[in-house]
Amino acid sequence: MQRHAFLKTLAAAAAVAATGLLNTASAQTPLEVPFYYPVAVGGPITKVIDGYAAEFNKAHPQYRITPVYAGTYQETIVKALTAHKSGKPPASSVLLSTDMFTLIDEDAIAPIDDFVKTDADRAWLKGFYPAFMANSQAGGKTWGVPFQRSTVVMYYNKEAFKEAGLDPNKAPQNWKELKEAAHRLTKKDASGKVVQYGIQIPSTGFAYWMLQTLTTPNDVLLANEAGTQVTLDSPRVVEALDFWVGLVKEGVHPAGVVEWGTTPKDFMEKKAAIIVTTTGNLTNIRANAKFDFGVGQIAGNVRKGSPTGGGNFYLFKKAPREQQEAAFQFMKWVTQPPLAAQWSMDSGYVAVSPAAYDTPALKKYGQDFPQALVARDQLPVSVAEFSTHENQRVTKVLNDAVQAALNGSKTSAQALQDAQKEADRILRRYK
């Protein structure tokens, strides 16, 4: 109810500003503005996005922003690029921040800078967290606008910590503490079967991203800023993957490949005492966990840190200019501090600007639920999510390497050496 009241107030204020347009716009058919959004199924998030579109349209009656729910991130980029190639792209889409190089290579997106005209526009664009802009800018241009952005965090079961004699108010701070805690938290039944793993890190879909939660604290980057070169076989990357494989070998982490989608459920069902996953799962876990849980920054080793993650808004180059302009106005509207704050509370994603955290609503939320501030507080030590040209091909190579090491078909060193060779082959033309 609070969210709907907030949106009504915001819409009323915007409607006052738009009153001069109402009579003319009502006599015209609103401009249809298709907007692709990556949700595979309906549910709370689609209702929130539908609500934002409806309120924007009410305040801007000359436009009709129409969300199109296009499946997973992977399915959404395929649909968006297919539409681009057919000459009928959406005006905008939320796609992974790491899709930026792919979208540039396909000549599919327009620089956001082309639409920034006023001092207010320039102030808005400068207002986002720098860590999120690292995956939004390239070649001196801004290609994406941060929207549903994240860092990776540790969720831990405070009750399990108490039971194991660990401090329930303190997440493991480094690899040594993490491994020790995982051993103490692993529980077996009378037959010796593990009923609760100490730690679980998913390895489907985003294995490369989870590897980054170990390589970042080990102070090594997987790719250069230009997205043309990778360092997958660096000794520090091998050491990071070996740490993950070691947790499996020591029986404190599930064997083989672990599903991304079921990891939060395994945590809520007490099959894993610590999980490592996106802060985007925070609202879901808060609503459904039947026990007290903590959220901690990623455990350090040489340093602290996490990769950023999540999705940006992009503007499609072949969309009619008036649709692009409408989509740009929507991006600005939906990322203004009050809405960015509300979106963070609704979804669990990190609000994309410091100004959003200064709003009374998010300040109060952070006081009542401090777990919501952990991902934000990790931003100063966060790095850009792994992204290269030919990004889907290169990340698949790295995902396969991580899975090969975890299921024991290759050593970490061999898996990463093979991945390096294949990635070098794919990226040769960009060097």
Side-chain angles (χ1 to χ4, degrees), residues 2-253:
Q2 181 190 4
R3 186 174 70 79
H4 293 303
F6 164 81
L7 285 173
K8 279 178 187 164
T9 309
L10 191 62
V16 170
T19 43
L21 297 166
L22 280 170
N23 292 334
T24 22
S26 60
Q28 298 166 352
T29 306
L31 176 72
E32 284 289 342
V33 186
F35 154 53
Y36 283 14
Y37 185 79
V39 167
V41 290
I45 290 295
T46 59
K47 286 180 185 144
V48 173
I49 295 293
D50 284 341
Y52 290 166
E55 296 302 333
F56 176 84
N57 293 340
K58 223 183 267 182
H60 304 79
Q62 70 274 41
Y63 301 135
R64 187 180 290 134
I65 297 281
T66 309
V68 176
Y69 300 110
T72 62
Y73 274 120
Q74 287 79 6
E75 288 163 345
T76 304
I77 190 171
V78 169
K79 286 175 186 172
L81 286 175
T82 302
H84 158 72
K85 284 168 186 167
S86 75
K88 291 185 177 176
S92 73
S93 181
V94 171
L95 299 166
L96 287 171
S97 62
T98 54
D99 288 328
M100 177 178 68
F101 289 119
T102 298
L103 292 162
I104 293 168
D105 292 342
E106 293 284 348
D107 198 26
I109 51 173
I112 304 295
D113 319 78
D114 292 356
F115 297 83
V116 171
K117 306 289 186 204
T118 66
D119 287 344
D121 290 348
R122 283 183 277 277
W124 162 76
L125 197 56
K126 278 184 185 162
F128 296 103
Y129 280 109
F132 292 146
M133 296 313 285
N135 272 118
S136 307
Q137 294 171 321
K141 292 180 178 176
T142 303
W143 300 95
V145 171
F147 178 55
Q148 50 191 51
R149 298 301 303 271
S150 56
T151 63
V152 186
V153 293
M154 273 191 295
Y155 297 87
Y156 64 97
N157 181 332
K158 288 189 172 188
E159 289 174 14
F161 267 53
K162 274 185 206 162
E163 201 182 305
L166 296 163
D167 184 347
N169 297 312
K170 193 181 173 206
Q173 295 298 299
N174 54 52
W175 285 4
K176 184 171 177 285
E177 287 181 15
L178 185 63
K179 188 176 273 197
E180 283 171 2
H183 275 275
R184 287 169 72 169
L185 292 160
T186 299
K187 284 163 73 172
K188 296 179 179 177
D189 66 13
S191 70
K193 185 189 168 197
V194 175
V195 291
Q196 175 182 280
Y197 282 100
I199 183 167
Q200 181 166 314
I201 306 172
S203 48
T204 63
F206 301 97
Y208 73 88
W209 198 37
M210 296 296 100
L211 178 63
Q212 266 195 290
T213 67
L214 296 167
T215 57
T216 305
N218 217 27
D219 203 22
V220 59
L221 295 174
L222 296 177
N224 66 350
E225 220 174 275
T228 56
Q229 200 169 337
V230 295
T231 52
L232 309 183
D233 59 352
S234 152
R236 284 190 172 180
V237 179
V238 175
E239 185 186 9
L241 184 51
D242 266 340
F243 178 78
W244 190 355
V245 171
L247 296 172
V248 176
K249 285 181 176 169
E250 289 169 33
V252 298
H253 182 293

Side-chain angles (χ1 to χ4, degrees), residues 233-295:
D233 59 352
S234 152
R236 284 190 172 180
V237 179
V238 175
E239 185 186 9
L241 184 51
D242 266 340
F243 178 78
W244 190 355
V245 171
L247 296 172
V248 176
K249 285 181 176 169
E250 289 169 33
V252 298
H253 182 293
V257 172
V258 173
E259 286 296 327
W260 173 267
T262 58
T263 292
K265 189 166 171 279
D266 289 343
F267 179 67
M268 292 185 279
E269 290 177 357
K270 302 185 180 178
K271 292 176 186 170
I274 299 172
I275 60 166
V276 175
T277 186
T278 173
T279 186
N281 278 317
L282 181 60
T283 301
N284 171 33
I285 289 173
R286 187 188 191 194
N288 295 299
K290 303 289 190 255
F291 52 83
D292 194 11
F293 70 93
V295 179

